[in-house]
Amino acid sequence: ERAKKAAEDFDIPHYYDSVTEMLANEDIDAVDICTWNNAHAPVAIEAANAGKHVICEKPLTVSVENAEKIAAAIKANGVKFMLAVPGRFGNKNQYIRKMLDSGELGEVVASFFFRGGGTPLWSYENWLLDREKGGGALFDQHVHDVDMINFLFGMPEKVSTVGKTMFEKSAYDTLTTNYIYKNGMPCNTQNDWTLTSPYFYQDFRVNFTKGTVVRDTAGFHIYRKEGENEEYEVPSKNPYYEETKFFAQCILDGKPITYNMPEDSKNTIRIVLAERESADKSGELVCVK
């Protein structure tokens, strides 16, 4: 009934309540997976086995084992795959990556990331708040910043996470994590989807030896130790559109996908699982396995 309603609302000619039936009856190039989180793996594997390219909503899965099964199916069938993590296509995050690669602001000294807002009570049967289906804020919302830390700084050796579960059956609806790197760089995230606020917040601060880059409610700023401070004017681009365009263009041009590869996605899941283990142990240091 929900599929029928969506088809009517958006003037879509065909709708199915079975992925198998859809794959058998439609001449399609790719499958865009937007199911609840623990259902990503079986759909991704079935689509790959049918020879379809796959773009999958984050997180890839809620287990490393399923992430490896997806990667194996993608490789075996020679199809393209990309995880939909729009942060890697965001202009502000790409600017940080540019500063890291160019060395313009020197080496990273410390970093902090915050993401939060009201509780997502709109999901079907509240699957977002279900530890097994959605994984709570830890897996569904916090994973954006974990992926960004992995994208910017690579894999940490250990993590220490303290979290609190506010809703029955959920998993860590508010949390904070310290990431331990070999070079000793302090890196911290906070995530909270229990805020009594109509707004969504996404802030970060990356401190370099030659300056600091800050995103907050006041805008996006670059503070340099030598030279004038500046407010960086970010070109207006929609990262959701940019990631979908990139994926489609790679298919049309026959080019390999270089962003959000299965290995990147698996590593992000490895970090999040270590965080959950640490939170289960009241913040005990846990090695990223």
Side-chain angles (χ1 to χ4, degrees):
E1 290 302 314
R2 290 168 64 84
K4 180 181 179 181
K5 177 68 164 55
E8 291 172 350
D9 289 347
F10 297 99
D11 194 26
I12 299 172
H14 303 150
Y15 62 91
Y16 302 90
D17 58 9
S18 162
V19 174
T20 302
E21 185 181 358
M22 179 195 74
L23 291 171
N25 288 279
E26 296 290 342
D27 180 18
I28 57 178
D29 298 302
V31 175
D32 186 350
I33 301 175
C34 307
T35 63
W36 46 63
N37 298 337
N38 73 335
H40 290 174
V43 180
I45 291 168
E46 186 172 359
N49 287 340
K52 310 302 180 183
H53 305 298
V54 177
I55 181 171
C56 180
E57 183 57 48
K58 58 79 205 163
L60 178 60
T61 68
V62 292
S63 75
V64 173
E65 180 183 6
N66 279 338
E68 290 175 341
K69 289 179 180 179
I70 292 174
I74 295 297
K75 183 177 181 180
N77 292 284
V79 297
K80 300 183 189 301
F81 170 87
M82 191 176 85
L83 190 70
V85 185
R88 294 200 181 197
F89 290 86
N91 293 310
K92 299 177 181 68
N93 295 332
Q94 287 188 344
Y95 181 87
I96 299 292
R97 180 71 260 178
K98 177 183 175 182
M99 291 298 99
L100 284 167
D101 292 341
S102 69
E104 181 180 333
L105 291 177
E107 296 180 3
V108 176
V109 176
S111 61
F112 168 77
F113 300 81
F114 174 81
R115 187 180 298 262
T119 307
L121 298 174
W122 43 263
S123 63
Y124 179 65
E125 295 181 349
N126 258 348
W127 67 262
L128 280 170
L129 302 182
D130 187 301
R131 181 184 180 100
E132 300 304 320
K133 291 181 178 180
L138 177 69
F139 260 97
D140 193 81
Q141 181 172 273
H142 174 60
V143 74
H144 283 288
D145 288 323
V146 177
D147 181 79
M148 188 49 50
I149 287 169
N150 182 23
F151 174 56
L152 294 175
F153 312 127
M155 294 286 285
E157 285 190 298
K158 300 177 183 179
V159 298
S160 172
T161 301
V162 177
K164 188 173 181 62
T165 299
M166 301 295 292
F167 303 97
E168 185 181 2
K169 292 173 46 176
S170 187
Y172 302 115
D173 302 297
T174 177
L175 62 129
T176 182
T177 298
N178 287 314
Y179 303 86
I180 311 302
Y181 283 89
K182 285 183 178 180
N183 63 5
M185 177 198 71
C187 179
N188 174 266
T189 62
Q190 291 185 22
N191 195 283
D192 191 340
W193 70 14
T194 70
L195 299 180
T196 306
S197 170
Y199 304 107
F200 176 79
Y201 303 92
Q202 182 186 348
D203 305 333
F204 62 69
R205 180 186 67 251
V206 181
N207 187 26
F208 295 82
T209 52
K210 298 180 182 179
T212 302
V213 181
V214 178
R215 172 183 174 165
D216 56 22
T217 53
F220 187 71
H221 299 273
I222 305 163
Y223 302 100
R224 300 177 186 272
K225 289 188 176 179
E226 295 181 6
E228 295 182 0
N229 297 330
E230 57 185 292
E231 182 173 351
Y232 184 67
E233 292 294 332
V234 182
S236 180
K237 288 185 178 181
N238 185 327
Y240 298 97
Y241 169 77
E242 292 299 326
E243 71 176 3
T244 308
K245 177 183 174 183
F246 176 83
F247 175 72
Q249 201 64 53
C250 285
I251 294 174
L252 291 170
D253 296 343
K255 294 181 179 179
I257 290 178
T258 54
Y259 261 45
N260 300 2
M261 302 290 285
E263 190 63 28
D264 294 331
S265 307
K266 184 176 73 173
N267 286 339
T268 295
I269 296 301
R270 289 169 59 200
I271 298 171
V272 175
L273 286 171
E275 290 183 67
R276 186 169 72 180
E277 182 181 347
S278 175
D280 288 344
K281 297 178 179 179
S282 301
E284 182 179 316
L285 274 174
V286 170
C287 292
V288 178
K289 301 172 184 177

